[in-house]
Amino acid sequence: MLAFNIALRYLFAPKSHSAINTITLVAACGVGIITAAMICVLSVYNGFEGLVSDLTSRFDPDLRIEATVGKGFTEDPQLRALIEDLPEVESVNVTLEETVLLSYSGHQVPAKMKGVEDEFAEVTQIDSILLGVDGFLLEDEVAHYCILGAGLGSTLGMSRGFVRPLTVYCPRRQGKIDLLNPEESFAQEALYCSNVFMVQQAEYDDQYFLCSLSTARRLLGDSLLTTAYEVKLRSGTNPEKAKQKILLTPSLSSLTILTRYEQQADAYRIMQIEKWISYLLVVFILLIASFNIIGALSMLMIDKSAEIKTLQNLGASDALIRNIFTLEGWLISGSGALFGAILGITLCLLQQHFGIISLGAGVTSQYVVSSYPVHLLWSDVLLTLLSVIVIGWLATLYTTRSQKSK
């Protein structure tokens, strides 16, 4: 307690040289600004990760059950019924995906066909990203329809309501290619565009189109072929716990269950790598800023050398003197960290709730959001404070040991 009281007095009491006060203030402010920057950087990456998750959730299901080996498998109605009967499951949709060739008005584009059931609108939030007012329509008694990704429709020069259909070409899975008449080696289907969806992710908008499951199976020549069961969980259900429960279902030995995070594992992994590389860069800047703490503490020890001798004459041990200046270094870095944490948290909360920093006037219509997305996590705040405390402690330890050796 004595060491802390003396260290606190040294921090706020006037020094014999005003430059020492200035250097101490600069050291504390430097730590504070870097602490705030670290919190803001981590929160911005959290915001973008949450934004990507929100966008993909409109097209991806909560859980996806697919073949462990190969692209497809045969639909098992009994397995589907077992999954639907689980209390955690709200709805199940069967899908069939394949790469096909689309042709319209002289334009030919490879695309990913996704055949879905009517339950697809319940499993995903597809209705929220449809641009037209006609809703989710894939077939009726008049014709068969498709729903194009916005980028894919732009490439084809086609949109909803066009009176001419596009043609889907899919290689026949059986038989040989007839070189004299190669068109006979492809199954064909004419589809009218009933609507257009926009996820605002190129992976979906530029490549995918939706059609009915029966149309997809007809093109592939297999009435039971399936790529995946897509599962919608009830509100509040933990996806990992639901996944583990579904894994106990019989007949799942040849299938794999993927959560939404695992379906986009590469994208999330890249974002996490970028986040922690940015964190390490800011930590490196913090290491450089810690030299200010070393300088301020060294000058303070020199300035208080006469008082140190007085304390030693009064019986103070070397350990007490070392503890005084160790606590002094902690107070400098701790006060800066506290100031930076308050500043960083305040800035993040203001941006998170009010969107103060926008993406720029005149360009907001080109982006998903009008301001930079931010999501503050208290775990990031604790990690930042821990990093600052550790680096401040190392800087203080180095200073007190080096001065002792002299």
Side-chain angles (χ1 to χ4, degrees), residues 134 163 296 342 404:
D134 296 332
V163 295
I342 295 173
K404 179 185 176 183

Side-chain angles (χ1 to χ4, degrees), residues 19 381-382:
V381 176
L382 293 176

Side-chain angles (χ1 to χ4, degrees), residues 261-308:
Y261 177 86
E262 291 168 335
Q263 294 170 50
Q264 300 292 332
D266 291 339
Y268 286 118
R269 189 180 299 113
I270 291 173
M271 294 189 69
Q272 287 295 313
I273 291 173
E274 291 176 342
K275 175 180 176 179
W276 296 118
I277 287 177
S278 299
Y279 164 77
L280 291 176
L281 288 175
V282 179
V283 168
F284 180 73
I285 297 173
L286 181 61
L287 284 171
I288 297 175
S290 66
F291 285 103
N292 290 328
I293 300 176
I294 295 174
L297 198 57
S298 298
M299 295 188 69
L300 182 62
M301 293 175 73
I302 295 171
D303 182 67
K304 299 299 181 182
S305 57
E307 296 184 19
I308 292 174

Side-chain angles (χ1 to χ4, degrees), residues 73-87:
F73 56 93
T74 301
E75 180 184 357
D76 185 349
Q78 293 183 346
L79 174 60
R80 177 176 180 172
L82 288 173
I83 297 172
E84 288 178 330
D85 289 340
L86 293 175

